[in-house]
Amino acid sequence: MIPKVKAFFRHPGRLIPLLFMGVILAGTLLLLLPVAHLGDNRTSFADALFTSTSAVSVTGLAVVDTPVHWSWFGQFVIMLLFQIGGFGIMTSAVLMALLVTHKLGLRTKLATRMEVSQALNLGDFKAILLRTIVFSLICEAIMALALAIRFSTLDFGLGDAVWYGVFHSVSSFNNAGFALFSDSLMSYATDPWICVPIALGSILGALGMPVIYEVTRRHWGRRQWSVHTKLTLIGSAILIVGGWAAYLVIEWSNPATFGQWPWYDRILPAFFQSAMVRASGFNSIDVGAMREDSLLASIILAFIGGGSASTAGGIKVTTFFLLLLVIWAEVRGEPDVTVFRRRIDPPVIREALTVALVYVACNAFGVFLMQRFEPHIDLTSIMFEVTSAFATMGQSTGITYDLSEPSVWLLTIAMYTGRVGPVLFAASLALRTRKRLYRYPSARPLVG
């Protein structure tokens, strides 16, 4: 019996969600300690579990005000949780992708069909893990230094400046979205010395370790980059620039957001919002005051998310652009889906379509339930909140603090499944690939 139990827990598909759950429960217990909160504040089990889940899943949603409710110890626990969560997400996603690559290689002798660089193999996992840790710590250290210097010039004491710099740099690179200011970064919306490092850290963290590993390898030119890396880099650039332009156009004259500043001060907040909405969840403008068009654009961008094996959520950039390529090929009447002079295998297309549709179904079901729990809240805000949780984006229109307990539990489950689910689901789809010795006659039901 014991060997069977060991075999059960040895499988990454079962071990990874259990490890995440274990870290979440440990963080919950630490946040329930009296030393974790300030003064007369009291932390319920639901609030502690929500905060721990939000940190480990690097989401950033909060049911209590982080700088007001939590003590220095509580804030340190939260930072530790999203640091562990960020490392765990990147390494577990790479591990599952490599296992899929190895499995498919044994079965089909073909190149990987998972969203992972063609240059990786199982023997590289230790090197990838080490490079993940080193690269993350170097980026966080550089950002922490830049932020600490800036905070020290803003009447912060040396100790506070260092702590604020470290906390926000770790939160940024891991796309956690937690801030030590009650208004997130709204007070520094036009300050490039704070917003730019945080935005760049979030963008790097959202690329994913397969991309970073491939780009930073020696003697590995961009002409030899895999399709995954090219799609991720080009797709991310398109989404950032497109979101930047969309927010500028929609919010340009909104007095509650960009309209309060001179025209030249509106450029940075628009860029910051575009970079954050697919990853970190920091906000430098009042999200609740944004126009409905902007909220819908944010929902779409959050739904797409960042790169595979990254700390960002969503269906992933490669999945989204693969589906666009499928549509483009069908419109043109092409027999194959091709990109960068490579043909995309049909199983990969089915996997992308399945992941996207399941994600849509989960979001729709979450919106349906929350609307039942919160009938007094408008539908757009509910859609934004649920998508933010499932996509582990972390921004909110301001309704999180006022949600009922069932909604808090719903978002807790959404954050956990939105973080762990896509990795395991995509891997299980690839591993379940099988061949039959027979095929049924074809049929063409009417479409459209």
Side-chain angles (χ1 to χ4, degrees):
M1 186 67 181
I2 294 179
K4 290 184 178 181
V5 173
K6 289 183 178 179
F8 178 86
F9 287 106
R10 191 177 292 122
H11 192 282
R14 305 183 189 101
L15 182 60
I16 289 172
L18 291 176
L19 287 176
F20 271 94
M21 188 173 294
V23 175
I24 288 171
L25 292 177
T28 301
L29 295 177
L30 289 174
L31 293 176
L32 285 172
L33 296 175
V35 70
H37 54 75
L38 291 170
D40 297 329
N41 293 326
R42 292 292 179 266
T43 307
S44 66
F45 178 80
D47 290 347
L49 179 64
F50 184 96
T51 304
S52 181
T53 305
S54 182
V56 175
S57 65
V58 292
T59 302
L61 288 174
V63 288
V64 294
D65 193 346
T66 301
V68 174
H69 184 89
W70 302 110
S71 65
W72 182 90
F73 176 80
Q75 295 171 9
F76 179 80
V77 169
I78 292 172
M79 184 184 73
L80 185 63
L81 290 175
F82 57 66
Q83 179 72 284
I84 294 173
F87 282 153
I89 289 160
M90 290 187 288
T91 55
S92 62
V94 170
L95 175 60
M96 291 303 296
L98 292 175
L99 288 175
V100 169
T101 301
H102 180 67
K103 190 73 172 179
L104 291 177
L106 291 176
R107 288 179 176 179
T108 64
K109 306 301 182 182
L110 296 175
T112 176
R113 284 186 263 177
M114 188 64 178
E115 293 177 350
V116 66
S117 168
Q118 298 167 353
L120 305 182
N121 56 63
L122 285 172
D124 290 329
F125 181 66
K126 289 184 179 179
I128 297 170
L129 179 60
L130 180 61
R131 186 168 295 191
T132 299
I133 295 174
V134 172
F135 185 84
S136 301
L137 293 178
I138 290 176
C139 288
E140 291 170 0
I142 294 174
M143 286 185 292
L145 178 61
L147 292 173
I149 292 174
R150 179 54 178 166
F151 283 129
S152 67
T153 65
L154 298 174
D155 296 328
F156 285 76
L158 180 60
D160 287 340
V162 171
W163 169 239
Y164 276 63
V166 170
F167 186 96
H168 290 94
S169 68
V170 177
S171 181
S172 170
F173 185 81
N174 290 284
N175 287 299
F178 281 91
L180 295 181
F181 304 100
S182 297
D183 61 354
S184 190
L185 297 176
M186 289 174 59
S187 299
Y188 306 99
T190 59
D191 190 336
W193 300 104
I194 292 178
C195 289
V196 171
I198 290 177
L200 292 179
S202 299
I203 292 171
L204 284 175
L207 291 177
M209 278 313 302
V211 173
I212 294 173
Y213 180 81
E214 192 170 343
V215 170
T216 56
R217 288 184 66 179
R218 294 182 179 179
H219 311 300
W220 193 253
R222 61 179 179 273
R223 291 185 179 180
Q224 296 175 296
W225 288 348
S226 66
V227 170
H228 168 75
T229 294
K230 292 177 181 177
L231 271 179
T232 302
L233 291 175
I234 295 174
S236 298
I238 291 173
L239 292 172
I240 290 174
V241 174
W244 189 359
Y247 288 125
L248 276 176
V249 171
I250 299 171
E251 297 293 326
W252 184 266
S253 59
N254 186 351
T257 55
F258 297 168
Q260 62 184 301
W261 299 303
W263 69 268
Y264 49 83
D265 278 337
R266 305 176 193 182
I267 309 298
L268 178 60
F271 168 75
F272 190 81
Q273 177 66 12
S274 180
M276 295 299 104
V277 76
R278 291 189 306 108
S280 283
F282 289 106
N283 62 282
S284 62
I285 57 174
D286 185 357
V287 176
M290 292 171 64
R291 290 171 173 161
E292 193 167 273
D293 294 349
S294 295
L295 293 178
L296 292 175
S298 298
I299 290 172
I300 294 172
L301 290 172
F303 179 82
I304 297 170
S308 299
S310 75
T311 51
I315 64 172
K316 307 305 181 187
V317 174
T318 44
T319 304
F320 175 74
F321 279 94
L322 278 177
L323 295 178
L324 287 184
L325 290 169
V326 171
I327 296 172
W328 180 244
E330 190 65 27
V331 169
R332 298 182 63 188
E334 296 285 348
D336 298 315
V337 178
T338 58
V339 58
F340 304 121
R341 298 184 179 180
R342 292 291 186 272
R343 175 175 53 84
I344 306 299
D345 288 337
V348 178
I349 296 171
R350 292 202 304 268
E351 291 163 18
L353 182 61
T354 304
V355 168
L357 290 179
V358 169
Y359 217 86
V360 169
C362 289
N363 275 271
F365 185 64
V367 170
F368 171 78
L369 287 180
M370 183 171 284
Q371 194 175 29
R372 302 282 293 181
F373 297 151
E374 314 291 343
H376 59 286
I377 299 179
D378 63 279
L379 180 59
T380 303
S381 296
I382 290 177
M383 289 175 59
F384 190 94
E385 200 79 7
V386 172
T387 304
S388 180
F390 267 114
T392 64
M393 180 259 287
Q395 287 190 355
S396 173
T397 56
I399 66 173
T400 314
Y401 295 156
D402 302 321
L403 293 177
S404 62
E405 190 165 330
S407 294
V408 171
W409 283 100
L410 172 64
L411 292 182
T412 302
I413 296 171
M415 289 187 293
Y416 178 77
T417 56
R419 172 49 60 198
V420 178
V423 173
L424 300 180
F425 185 65
S428 66
L429 288 176
L431 289 173
R432 287 179 180 271
T433 301
R434 63 179 68 180
K435 287 186 176 181
R436 284 181 175 175
L437 299 179
Y438 62 91
R439 299 178 72 185
Y440 291 108
S442 62
R444 291 188 63 87
L446 297 177
V447 176

